């Protein structure tokens, strides 16, 4: 059986109950992880430490927490955590989502079938109160060519759903800080390094969302982060000037001019199903 690592990060604003559900969804996979690396991104709450201690005691052979003295942000935390992963196949997981039971089994089958594959993600279902009550779904393209074309417009992976080869990520510069978009920045660099990409076309993770999600996707900081990625792709000749202008104009309208409620409607109408 192929061995793999799970890479997670947690910080003080996360909830203990959600973290416990997220980790449980990984230890209960049909193909069990060989290790779970959880980066403690700065000091945490008592509630979170209690959950972490529970998994340390229950799964001492696979569970390892990596404490950081101060909060460094998701990109740097995952950069550090990936270095601790002992296995080349690494599954990302967020601290408040729930992976479906056969997620890893599905992804490993893709790696076994295609030895050149570097990263495989999947669709997500979003929920507010219960994972059994889906409010929206984000679908992403499946084939390598389609993913790389979609990359020029929007992020082609659901970050919490991906499994990748550690060496492919390291060779592409590893995770780096990019406000709100550490993952998108990494996928772009992986594409530049010729990595082979795929999505399953099936739901792999159930994602916890709320009304505040659409507020976070707006404002000047979010716009500048997204524009910065467009600037990067333009400089690297990944996108043309017309595509750049269209992408930036659309983001300016959605992220800076619209209210959160209207932004939420736009996302649900055009970016979700």
């Amino acid at each position: 059986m192929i061995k793999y690592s799970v890479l997670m990060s947690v910080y003080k604003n996360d909830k203990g109950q959600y973290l416990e559900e997220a980790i449980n969804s990984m230890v209960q996979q049909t193909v069990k992880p060989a290790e779970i690396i959880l980066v403690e991104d700065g000091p945490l709450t008592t509630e979170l430490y209690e959950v972490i201690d529970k998994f340390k005691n229950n799964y001492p052979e696979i569970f390892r927490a990596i404490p950081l003295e101060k909060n460094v942000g998701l990109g740097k935390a995952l950069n550090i955590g990936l270095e601790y992963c002992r296995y080349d196949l690494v599954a990302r997981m967020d601290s408040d989502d729930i992976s479906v039971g056969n997620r890893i089994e599905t992804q490993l089958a893709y790696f076994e079938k295609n030895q050149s594959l570097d990263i495989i993600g999947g669709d997500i279902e979003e929920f507010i109160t219960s994972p059994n009550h889906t409010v929206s779904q984000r679908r992403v393209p499946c084939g390598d060519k389609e993913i790389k074309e979609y990359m020029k417009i929007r992020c082609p992976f659901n970050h919490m759903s991906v499994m990748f080869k550690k060496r492919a990520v390291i060779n592409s510069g590893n995770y780096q800080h990019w406000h709100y978009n550490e993952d998108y920045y990494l996928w772009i660099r992986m594409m530049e390094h010729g990595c082979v990409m795929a999505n399953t076309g099936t739901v792999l993770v159930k994602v916890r969302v709320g009304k505040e999600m659409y507020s976070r996707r707006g404002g000047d900081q979010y716009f500048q982060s997204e524009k910065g990625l467009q600037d990067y792709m333009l400089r690297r000749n990944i996108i043309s000037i017309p595509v750049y202008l269209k992408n930036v104009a659309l983001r300016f309208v959605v992220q800076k001019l619209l209210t959160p409620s209207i932004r939420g409607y736009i996302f649900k109408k055009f970016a979700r199903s």
Side-chain angles (χ1 to χ4, degrees), residues 2 105-117 165:
I2 298 176
E105 182 179 355
T106 300
Q107 292 177 295
L108 288 179
Y110 275 81
F111 279 110
E112 290 180 316
K113 185 177 180 180
N114 184 357
Q115 298 297 314
S116 64
L117 186 64
K165 290 177 179 174

Side-chain angles (χ1 to χ4, degrees), residues 167-233:
R167 63 180 180 270
V169 171
I170 296 294
N171 290 341
S172 302
N174 203 339
Y175 280 97
Q176 298 178 22
H177 174 71
W178 194 292
H179 199 48
Y180 296 119
N181 281 292
E182 296 88 352
D183 57 331
Y184 197 176
Y185 183 38
L186 175 58
W187 316 146
I188 294 170
R189 288 181 283 116
M190 290 180 71
M191 178 177 67
E192 289 185 287
H193 280 77
C195 291
V196 178
M197 304 175 163
N199 282 302
T200 65
T202 61
V203 174
L204 298 183
V205 182
K206 298 190 176 186
V207 176
R208 199 180 305 272
V209 298
K211 294 180 180 179
E212 70 278 1
M213 178 180 74
Y214 302 113
S215 298
R216 294 198 303 268
R217 290 177 178 268
D220 186 64
Q221 279 190 319
Y222 198 91
F223 170 73
Q224 292 300 332
S225 173
E226 294 258 329
K227 179 180 178 298
L229 287 178
Q230 299 300 316
D231 292 342
Y232 177 88
M233 288 194 285

Side-chain angles (χ1 to χ4, degrees), residues 20 54 60 66 120 171 210 212 230:
E20 184 169 1
K54 179 179 178 180
I66 310 298
I120 176 78
N171 290 341
E212 70 278 1
Q230 299 300 316

Side-chain angles (χ1 to χ4, degrees), residues 72-263:
V72 298
L74 183 61
K76 292 182 180 179
L78 294 179
N79 179 297
I80 294 168
L82 187 60
E83 297 289 352
Y84 281 91
C85 293
R86 293 181 294 167
Y87 302 98
D88 191 44
L89 286 181
V90 178
R92 264 287 290 127
M93 182 58 184
D94 278 349
S95 58
D96 54 359
D97 300 326
I98 301 172
S99 287
V100 300
N102 68 340
R103 168 194 163 177
I104 298 300
E105 182 179 355
T106 300
Q107 292 177 295
L108 288 179
Y110 275 81
F111 279 110
E112 290 180 316
K113 185 177 180 180
N114 184 357
Q115 298 297 314
S116 64
L117 186 64
D118 293 298
I119 180 171
I120 176 78
D123 298 343
I124 59 172
E125 287 181 348
E126 297 172 328
F127 70 95
I128 296 176
T129 56
S130 168
N132 297 320
H133 296 91
T134 301
V135 296
S136 56
Q137 185 178 79
R138 182 171 189 251
R139 297 176 177 174
V140 282
C142 295
D144 181 74
K145 182 179 179 180
E146 292 76 17
I147 287 171
K148 289 171 181 175
E149 280 300 310
Y150 194 82
M151 185 98 67
K152 300 175 183 179
I153 303 172
R154 294 188 62 210
C155 181
F157 291 104
N158 292 306
H159 187 195
M160 69 294 291
S161 78
V162 300
M163 173 181 268
F164 50 68
K165 290 177 179 174
K166 176 180 176 178
R167 63 180 180 270
V169 171
I170 296 294
N171 290 341
S172 302
N174 203 339
Y175 280 97
Q176 298 178 22
H177 174 71
W178 194 292
H179 199 48
Y180 296 119
N181 281 292
E182 296 88 352
D183 57 331
Y184 197 176
Y185 183 38
L186 175 58
W187 316 146
I188 294 170
R189 288 181 283 116
M190 290 180 71
M191 178 177 67
E192 289 185 287
H193 280 77
C195 291
V196 178
M197 304 175 163
N199 282 302
T200 65
T202 61
V203 174
L204 298 183
V205 182
K206 298 190 176 186
V207 176
R208 199 180 305 272
V209 298
K211 294 180 180 179
E212 70 278 1
M213 178 180 74
Y214 302 113
S215 298
R216 294 198 303 268
R217 290 177 178 268
D220 186 64
Q221 279 190 319
Y222 198 91
F223 170 73
Q224 292 300 332
S225 173
E226 294 258 329
K227 179 180 178 298
L229 287 178
Q230 299 300 316
D231 292 342
Y232 177 88
M233 288 194 285
L234 181 64
R235 290 196 306 269
R236 307 285 288 189
N237 295 315
I238 296 172
I239 58 175
S240 64
I241 292 177
V243 172
Y244 170 83
L245 293 175
K246 180 180 178 180
N247 288 348
V248 172
L250 179 62
R251 284 161 170 78
F252 180 82
V253 171
V254 172
Q255 294 160 6
K256 295 199 69 174
L257 300 185
L258 299 184
T259 64
S261 59
I262 298 177
R263 187 182 306 119

